[in-house]
């Protein structure tokens, strides 16, 4: 029978080399950990969501954060961005949340047709067809505004000044302008056409008003220092129903057949016709461009995204096979949500990021810091590409 070989003991020099190698390996590991810690400290500004997106580009994974913004629900629920915060209005409550999702203002109301409007540092809540109106600063300080008649429409400027169009006996609308202290600054009574919408320039010096009569639509301009009409533009047999101020004090007026771009002198600086297509959605959240979604079908199943500069020139177009459920323009970017994806575009409609997933949110809002709020009936979640 063969004998089992006896285990041999390592000579002293071999054991010494093993211990030395282990000490060297441990030393190298410690040094590596120190270097990694130093790199994390030095490049800590890059280890954020935005930094990682810049580092890894378009293929950076989408992220749905654990942060949730909760708010009251109710019929007729509407939303408006307020800086990086959120205004929420329904038939039963109005609420303002700051950028961290904390409620800074909430009030129980009874609104038949709730509306919410947002500026960088203030929100305006109104009951269209009623007299309810509340102005709220970003800090949560509120003022109840009491118009003399029922509210027909409202708007708020980037500076926080706001307009109300109300019913007035013997006239076809009264346009009132208020400053950030809710003090009445200007009034104009419309006698020859129904006042539909008003907007203030960012410097709070010029007022633009849309009116309509049996002959067509008008864009009228006023200085807040005079009751005399400064200028006007008339579009025969055309209904204009929305407007806002873009850069260089250009007014963008949206109608059923075209978008018009005008100076405060009433001269048209450009226009864009929808042709045979239907305007399905638009967003006027950026002063740099206007965003449109048009379709050849009334159902809006397929169509084109179009962006226009302040002279009516086409910046970009993009085809979409899905119907658009939400547009949100901010700065020089456009966020587009459909039932099956969420995409971020440049103002020339070059796709920057996209996430293919079933979208159940009611609306998506692009914030200045680059992240997104996905709005549901009871809460909003913060999303980052």
């Amino acid at each position: 029978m063969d004998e089992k070989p006896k285990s041999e003991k390592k000579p002293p020099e071999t054991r010494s080399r093993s211990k030395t190698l282990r000490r060297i390996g441990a030393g190298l590991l410690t040094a590596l950990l120190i270097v990694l810690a130093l790199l994390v400290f030095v490049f800590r500004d890059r280890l954020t969501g935005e930094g990682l997106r810049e580092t890894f580009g378009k293929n950076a994974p989408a992220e749905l954060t654990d942060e949730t913004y909760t708010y009251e629900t109710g019929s007729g629920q509407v939303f408006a961005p307020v800086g990086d915060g959120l205004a929420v209005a329904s038939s039963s409550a109005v609420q303002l949340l700051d950028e961290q999702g904390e409620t800074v203002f909430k009030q129980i109301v009874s609104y038949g047709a709730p509306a919410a409007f947002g500026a960088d540092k203030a929100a305006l809540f109104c009951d269209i067809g009623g007299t309810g109106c509340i102005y709220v600063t970003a800090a949560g300080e509120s003022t109840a505004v009491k118009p003399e008649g029922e509210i027909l429409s409202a708007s708020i400027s980037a500076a926080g000044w706001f307009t109300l169009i109300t019913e007035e006996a013997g006239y076809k609308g009264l346009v009132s302008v208020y400053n950030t202290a809710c003090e009445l600054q200007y009034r104009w009574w419309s006698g020859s056409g129904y006042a539909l919408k008003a907007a203030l320039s960012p410097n709070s010096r010029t007022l633009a008003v849309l009116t309509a009569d049996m002959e067509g639509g008008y864009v009228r301009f006023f200085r807040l220092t005079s009751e005399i009409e400064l200028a006007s533009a008339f579009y025969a047999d055309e209904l204009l129903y929305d407007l806002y101020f873009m850069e260089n004090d250009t007014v963008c007026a949206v109608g059923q057949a075209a978008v018009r771009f005008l100076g405060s002198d009433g001269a048209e600086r450009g226009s864009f016709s929808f042709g045979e297509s239907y305007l399905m959605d638009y967003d006027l959240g950026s002063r740099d461009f206007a965003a449109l979604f048009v379709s050849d079908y009334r159902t809006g199943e397929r169509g084109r995204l179009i962006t226009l500069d302040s002279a009516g020139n086409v910046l970009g177009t993009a085809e979409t096979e899905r119907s658009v459920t939400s547009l949100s323009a901010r700065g020089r970017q456009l966020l587009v949500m459909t039932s099956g994806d969420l995409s971020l575009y440049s103002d020339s409609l070059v796709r920057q990021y996209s996430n293919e997933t079933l979208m159940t949110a009611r609306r998506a809002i692009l914030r200045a810091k680059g992240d997104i709020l996905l709005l549901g009936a009871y809460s909003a979640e913060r999303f980052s590409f």
Side-chain angles (χ1 to χ4, degrees), residues 5 19 40 110 124 131 137 164 195 200 246:
K19 290 180 181 179
V40 169
S110 180
L124 182 69
T131 58
T137 69
L164 296 177
L200 276 170
M246 300 181 70

Side-chain angles (χ1 to χ4, degrees), residues 32-253:
L32 179 61
L33 290 175
I34 292 172
V35 170
L36 288 175
L38 287 173
L39 287 174
V40 169
F41 177 79
V42 171
F43 296 103
R44 61 194 182 280
D45 293 334
R46 302 291 298 173
L47 301 180
T48 62
E50 184 63 27
L52 291 173
R53 284 196 296 273
E54 292 178 1
T55 302
F56 297 109
K58 298 179 181 180
N59 296 322
E63 176 190 1
L64 187 62
T65 72
D66 294 330
E67 296 181 39
T68 301
Y69 300 68
T70 58
Y71 40 76
E72 298 291 329
T73 189
S75 60
Q77 188 180 56
V78 291
F79 307 94
V82 179
D84 276 332
L86 182 67
V88 186
S90 70
S91 60
S92 57
V94 294
Q95 190 171 352
L96 178 62
L97 295 86
D98 64 17
E99 62 179 293
Q100 285 79 35
E102 299 294 329
T103 296
V104 297
F105 173 80
K106 183 168 69 173
Q107 184 169 315
I108 302 301
V109 297
S110 180
Y111 285 178
F117 308 89
D120 287 340
K121 298 181 180 179
L124 182 69
F125 300 102
C126 295
D127 182 15
I128 305 300
T131 58
C133 183
I134 305 171
Y135 182 87
V136 185
T137 69
E141 299 173 349
S142 65
T143 302
V145 181
K146 297 182 179 179
E148 296 179 3
E150 293 182 347
I151 300 171
L152 303 177
S153 73
S155 71
I156 191 168
S157 73
W161 287 43
F162 62 98
T163 70
L164 296 177
I165 298 180
T166 56
E167 290 186 341
E168 181 78 359
Y171 293 91
K172 295 181 179 178
L174 168 62
V175 182
S176 301
V177 178
Y178 298 83
N179 63 15
T180 57
C182 299
E183 298 167 337
L184 183 63
Q185 298 296 299
Y186 186 83
R187 278 185 171 183
W188 178 72
W189 288 263
S190 181
S192 60
Y194 291 96
L196 305 178
K197 189 68 181 289
L200 276 170
S201 62
N203 62 10
S204 305
R205 295 177 181 175
T206 306
L207 173 69
V209 183
L210 285 181
T211 66
D213 58 23
M214 295 297 293
E215 297 179 351
Y218 294 81
V219 182
R220 304 180 186 276
F221 294 91
F222 303 86
R223 296 290 188 199
L224 297 191
T225 55
S226 173
E227 296 180 1
I228 300 174
E229 186 176 291
L230 177 66
S232 67
F234 171 65
Y235 296 96
D237 302 320
E238 187 173 339
L239 175 63
L240 302 171
Y241 47 78
D242 203 355
L243 83 168
Y244 85 121
F245 274 87
M246 300 181 70
E247 62 180 355
N248 302 323
D249 279 351
T250 299
V251 166
C252 172

